[in-house]
Amino acid sequence: MNILCNLLINNYVEIDIVAKVRGIKKDVWEYMYRTSHGLLWDDIMTAFPDYDRSQVKQLMFAKVFYSYAKNVKEDNVWAKSFQGKYPTVMKIIRYYKRKFHMECEAHGEYITYADGSTKDKIQIPHKMMQLESSIFTPALDVLFKKRGMAALGIHDAVVVMSDRIPVEQVQTIMMQEYAKHGLVPTLNVEYYNKNKVYGKNQ
């Protein structure tokens, strides 16, 4: 932490921002580091060795990140394990689940099913998709404005259907849009022909 803060100070970052950085909990830093380096799922697989990577991802989203429950239930071993390793991150997740639930209650925003049961209309997955859209739409707009450029978004990727623009320029556009939200993504580049992938740059 001291190394990071000294680096910020040496690069003339304002003192109040450095103070906020100092206040970030250790488990939040660890979570950000592990996720940005693609290591989160490997950590969880260590705790649940009987599951493969795809199962771990599916269950973590279902039981922790995108579950409807606002609180961690005793029988939810996935949430309990995550909470044990990343308690502050779990508090943040629970905070937003409660916040969105209260918004839905205040405005009567529910999804009603055939059996009469209801579910909040606004949940973390919806907010995440909105955030993703707010990043990718401007990036695609920039690409669309370039002469002869065809580009489209597929989930968390941008597909450029032309070799007229250098890959570094596409990456720069993506980084600039993420930066507007205070995010620094890890970008992978894949090259395709009509039949197969013929190269990959990480």
Side-chain angles (χ1 to χ4, degrees):
M1 176 61 72
N2 287 333
I3 293 172
L4 173 61
C5 289
N6 288 336
L7 181 64
L8 295 174
I9 292 168
N10 291 337
N11 283 277
Y12 308 105
V13 173
E14 296 175 13
I15 293 298
D16 60 332
I17 294 176
V18 176
K20 289 178 181 178
V21 169
R22 286 189 191 279
I24 298 174
K25 298 289 181 70
K26 183 180 177 182
D27 69 295
V28 175
W29 281 116
E30 184 177 352
Y31 177 79
M32 291 192 306
Y33 176 85
R34 310 290 298 173
T35 52
S36 66
H37 286 77
L39 301 172
L40 179 66
W41 307 125
D42 297 322
D43 291 345
I44 297 167
M45 285 175 68
T46 302
F48 297 93
D50 295 333
Y51 296 85
D52 64 31
R53 190 181 180 88
S54 63
Q55 290 173 318
V56 164
K57 289 177 71 172
Q58 184 179 12
L59 286 163
M60 282 298 294
F61 278 108
K63 301 291 187 180
V64 180
F65 302 119
Y66 292 171
S67 67
Y68 183 59
K70 299 180 292 298
N71 297 303
V72 179
K73 296 180 179 179
E74 291 297 327
D75 61 346
N76 189 340
V77 294
W78 296 90
K80 284 288 182 184
S81 177
F82 184 84
Q83 184 179 44
K85 190 165 181 63
Y86 302 109
T88 310
V89 178
M90 183 57 109
K91 283 182 182 178
I92 294 168
I93 292 171
R94 290 170 64 189
Y95 165 80
Y96 280 104
K97 287 181 179 181
R98 290 192 184 99
K99 181 177 184 293
F100 298 150
H101 177 68
M102 287 189 292
E103 286 179 16
C104 289
E105 279 193 330
H107 301 287
E109 294 181 314
Y110 298 104
I111 298 170
T112 303
Y113 295 98
D115 64 358
S117 62
T118 61
K119 192 173 185 178
D120 289 351
K121 194 172 182 178
I122 303 170
Q123 296 181 51
I124 289 178
H126 305 130
K127 292 295 185 180
M128 293 296 288
M129 285 187 285
Q130 288 174 7
L131 174 59
E132 186 176 85
S133 177
S134 70
I135 294 171
F136 277 76
T137 301
L140 288 168
D141 284 344
V142 173
L143 291 169
F144 288 151
K145 290 174 183 175
K146 296 188 177 296
R147 186 183 295 274
M149 183 56 57
L152 56 102
I154 302 177
H155 183 44
D156 58 355
V158 169
V159 179
V160 178
M161 311 296 288
S162 170
D163 59 1
R164 295 182 184 179
I165 182 171
V167 67
E168 293 80 13
Q169 193 173 350
V170 177
Q171 289 178 306
T172 298
I173 291 168
M174 295 298 299
M175 295 297 285
Q176 288 171 344
E177 292 304 326
Y178 273 95
K180 292 175 183 177
H181 297 270
L183 301 171
V184 182
T186 300
L187 301 178
N188 291 328
V189 180
E190 296 183 0
Y191 300 88
Y192 287 83
N193 63 19
K194 291 183 179 178
N195 301 310
K196 62 182 179 179
V197 177
Y198 62 83
K200 186 173 183 179
N201 175 32
Q202 296 234 17

